[in-house]
Amino acid sequence: MDKKTPRYLTTTLPYVNAEPHIGFGLEMVQADALARYWRLMGEEVFFTTGTDEHGQKIAQKADDAGQDRQEYVDHFAEQFSKLKTALNLSYDNFIRTTDESHKKAAQEIWKRCEAKGDIYKKKYKGLYCVGDEMYMKESELVDGKCPNHPNMELQEIEEENYFFKLSNYQEYLEEYLSQEGVVEPEWRRQEAINFVKGGLEDFSISREVSRMDWGIPVPDDDEQVMYVWFDALTNYISTLGWPEDAEGNFKKFWTDGEVMQVAGKDQIRFQSIMWQAMLKSADVKATDKVVYHGFINSGGQKMSKSLGNVIAPYELVEKYGTDATRYILLRHVHPFDDSDLTWEKMDEYYTANLVNGLGNLTARIMKMAETHLDEPIEKPEVAGFDSEYLEALDVHNLQGACDFVWKKVQELDEKIAETEPFRLVKTDKEAAVEIIKELVFNLYIIGRMLNPIMPDANVTIKEAVLANKKPENLFNRLES
């Protein structure tokens, strides 16, 4: 790809009916690391996230709490917005689906799909999952339950709704998904293809106001509000100012740029099928790529409040700090498949690889430099990065990039053990100084490679090298 092509990157929008969970923390940090990497490589990037704030679940939660709906979503949107500081995120825009500009965009895409003949109204009766806020087909159920929400009873609902003619896009979606790279990893693309080949059914895109009134009004029908998914998916283009500013950021980053979305593996149906059909219907360019990550389990079990094994991103930051939290999520969570985290494992990762690993290495090298070098080394002129590191990031393998960095950490530890410059300086200072300079140079390179992964460590190491001074401990030991 031409490096001058602008990059657009978005996460999904978390549903604000609860506090942020670690799965969304993972998604945010993955996206942020890629955005930072692209910027480091000279790319122009628009990185966006936000919150999904309409729908039945939110209305019920607010009503049960005796709160005004807008006040309720304002509170939780703030909890997600605070992740920017907690996780040191570099996104360019934070969109809320209750923003007036987003509401207008959702109504515009509705009008365009309707003008195309892809929206119609009919009476419908079916099983409805409140958790997913959508109707379920019998073939999709597992033991009579929604596979994503097995603890929720399905509701049998009959009402008159508007429907989107997804069936019109069977051939188009098969063609779209036949392109390698539009879905990563590859096995998720096969899942999407199999879903489409299984036959597409039109899906409901509205709800009766009498049953659910917390949503964006359907154009020219006061008795219906938009289905939350139809509304929320539009954020990916409304965040760029579409449709009002169609010649500004939207043209630059969506129409003319490379569009990439990051999402959880349960989102394939929504992001790579429904959304792509909506875009086609509205005559908007398709997403170039959606990268799906797995789930984070704990102790071999899915995280749930009832099991008491839920881990929140704020808890990680409080215990380990921001950079360490990013490290844990990027190196010890598989970029595409399910992973398992426990507090015991994370304590081990933190102590072994950060306190005793990167932190100790930095302290040892910079203490030797401060003691034995008369001045800082010349600022290294680094032409580029090792191909193994670049190749991992270019295929969105953040874990692989981290593994490469820590391989370099280990190599420097081994270099110190082999050469013992702290001893050699007593008998051959000139040779010891050259070894120390080489160690400092390579530490600087490690710091540069940490830019997308651990931005604060990147800055601390760079400043320490250029000042020829041992920094404060990068990572404090855990209190026992």
Side-chain angles (χ1 to χ4, degrees):
M1 192 200 79
D2 183 351
K3 286 195 173 184
K4 294 182 180 179
T5 301
R7 298 257 197 177
Y8 173 91
L9 178 65
T10 181
T11 68
T12 54
L13 295 195
Y15 205 52
V16 294
N17 63 330
E19 300 285 343
H21 59 77
I22 194 172
F24 185 66
L26 166 68
E27 189 169 307
M28 286 299 313
V29 171
Q30 285 181 331
D32 184 73
L34 291 172
R36 287 178 182 273
Y37 165 62
W38 293 334
R39 294 188 192 112
L40 185 64
M41 302 305 290
E43 307 280 3
E44 187 174 8
V45 179
F46 188 96
F47 170 28
T48 181
T49 187
T51 43
D52 179 2
E53 302 180 14
H54 291 123
Q56 186 174 351
K57 283 188 291 187
I58 288 173
Q60 286 182 350
K61 288 271 190 177
D63 294 348
D64 291 345
Q67 285 185 269
D68 174 81
R69 274 90 173 266
Q70 190 63 53
E71 289 179 3
Y72 180 87
V73 296
D74 287 347
H75 166 75
F76 280 107
E78 178 67 15
Q79 300 309 303
F80 283 91
S81 177
K82 286 178 180 177
L83 286 174
K84 183 167 192 176
T85 299
L87 297 175
N88 196 1
L89 305 172
S90 62
Y91 56 74
D92 300 290
N93 194 41
F94 186 94
I95 189 167
R96 299 177 58 184
T97 58
T98 52
D99 292 342
E100 287 303 315
S101 58
H102 171 76
K103 292 177 184 178
K104 291 177 181 177
Q107 290 179 323
E108 176 63 21
I109 200 169
W110 179 290
K111 291 175 183 176
R112 292 190 182 197
C113 294
E114 188 173 43
K116 188 66 70 73
D118 289 330
I119 293 178
Y120 64 96
K121 198 174 187 180
K122 74 169 184 177
K123 286 188 176 180
Y124 182 79
K125 180 178 181 180
L127 295 173
Y128 186 78
C129 173
V130 175
D132 275 333
E133 301 230 12
M134 69 179 302
Y135 288 100
M136 307 293 296
K137 295 188 292 185
E138 290 283 353
S139 59
E140 296 172 327
L141 305 181
V142 177
D143 297 327
K145 301 289 182 69
C146 168
N148 295 329
H149 301 90
N151 296 326
M152 287 186 174
E153 291 296 326
L154 294 170
Q155 300 178 7
E156 186 171 65
I157 293 175
E158 182 176 10
E159 64 179 354
E160 189 173 37
N161 295 151
Y162 287 96
F163 280 72
F164 178 82
K165 289 185 179 179
L166 187 62
S167 56
N168 279 359
Y169 294 92
Q170 177 90 29
E171 184 176 337
Y172 167 74
L173 288 168
E174 287 183 12
E175 181 182 346
Y176 167 74
L177 292 168
S178 71
Q179 305 170 79
E180 290 187 9
V182 294
V183 171
E184 291 184 0
E186 173 61 20
W187 69 83
R188 299 288 179 216
R189 185 171 73 94
Q190 294 303 320
E191 284 182 26
I193 290 171
N194 291 338
F195 185 93
V196 172
K197 286 186 174 179
L200 295 174
E201 294 185 3
D202 299 346
F203 64 94
S204 171
I205 57 172
S206 75
R207 300 290 180 262
E208 292 180 351
V209 170
S210 59
R211 184 170 74 84
M212 207 288 291
D213 61 348
W214 182 240
I216 297 175
V218 166
D220 304 318
D221 191 337
D222 294 338
E223 295 181 357
Q224 299 270 334
V225 296
M226 289 186 196
Y227 165 53
V228 64
W229 279 102
F230 193 95
D231 149 19
L233 289 167
T234 309
N235 93 87
Y236 302 128
I237 54 177
S238 68
T239 192
L240 291 167
W242 185 90
E244 281 87 355
D245 189 21
E247 294 301 311
N249 275 343
F250 176 72
K251 183 177 189 302
K252 180 177 184 178
F253 289 101
W254 191 283
T255 305
D256 298 337
E258 179 172 349
V259 178
M260 184 172 127
Q261 300 177 214
V262 180
K265 68 177 186 178
D266 58 339
Q267 293 284 308
I268 293 173
R269 167 185 196 171
F270 302 104
Q271 310 298 332
S272 292
I273 297 174
M274 290 163 56
W275 174 229
Q276 303 312 316
M278 288 167 58
L279 287 170
K280 181 66 174 175
S281 179
D283 294 320
V284 176
K285 170 190 157 181
T287 303
D288 293 302
K289 185 186 302 290
V290 186
V291 179
Y292 292 98
H293 60 81
F295 293 154
I296 299 178
N297 301 316
S298 186
Q301 295 177 300
K302 185 176 180 179
M303 289 189 192
S304 72
K305 290 180 180 178
S306 60
L307 291 174
N309 64 349
V310 173
I311 299 173
Y314 289 120
E315 291 179 293
L316 268 69
V317 172
E318 183 177 357
K319 184 170 187 179
Y320 305 116
T322 296
D323 257 14
T325 296
R326 290 174 64 101
Y327 163 80
I328 289 168
L329 293 176
L330 293 175
R331 190 180 184 201
H332 297 288
V333 174
H334 194 281
F336 310 119
D337 217 338
D338 291 356
S339 299
D340 194 280
L341 286 180
T342 63
W343 288 108
E344 292 76 17
K345 286 181 183 177
M346 291 189 289
D347 284 355
E348 180 183 333
Y349 301 148
Y350 177 83
T351 301
N353 300 320
L354 297 182
V355 177
N356 297 337
L358 176 65
N360 186 51
L361 177 72
T362 301
R364 292 178 73 192
I365 291 176
M366 293 315 302
K367 180 60 178 175
M368 287 190 288
E370 185 177 347
T371 304
H372 302 296
L373 301 186
D374 294 332
E375 59 185 6
I377 65 170
E378 291 185 18
K379 183 177 178 180
E381 293 295 329
V382 183
F385 295 100
D386 190 286
S387 60
E388 186 177 337
Y389 171 82
L390 294 174
E391 287 165 8
L393 287 170
D394 286 341
V395 295
H396 320 115
N397 182 2
L398 295 155
Q399 188 178 59
C402 290
D403 286 346
F404 179 80
V405 174
W406 262 262
K407 181 172 74 173
K408 293 301 178 183
V409 169
Q410 183 180 353
E411 287 176 2
L412 288 195
D413 272 328
E414 291 170 353
K415 178 79 172 177
I416 294 171
E418 290 168 5
T419 60
E420 296 188 322
F422 49 88
R423 295 186 192 277
L424 183 62
V425 73
K426 297 173 185 176
T427 57
D428 191 343
K429 184 173 181 179
E430 185 177 344
V433 164
E434 289 305 310
I435 292 171
I436 293 170
K437 285 182 178 179
E438 182 183 349
L439 290 169
V440 173
F441 174 85
N442 284 296
L443 178 65
Y444 183 87
I445 301 302
I446 285 173
R448 281 196 44 148
M449 289 190 292
L450 288 172
N451 181 300
I453 302 158
M454 303 169 70
D456 288 340
N458 158 256
V459 171
T460 300
I461 291 172
K462 177 181 175 181
E463 290 179 347
V465 168
L466 298 181
N468 197 44
K469 186 174 180 63
K470 175 183 173 292
E472 294 293 320
N473 289 340
L474 286 178
F475 309 100
N476 295 319
R477 293 195 176 277
L478 297 174
E479 296 180 5
S480 55

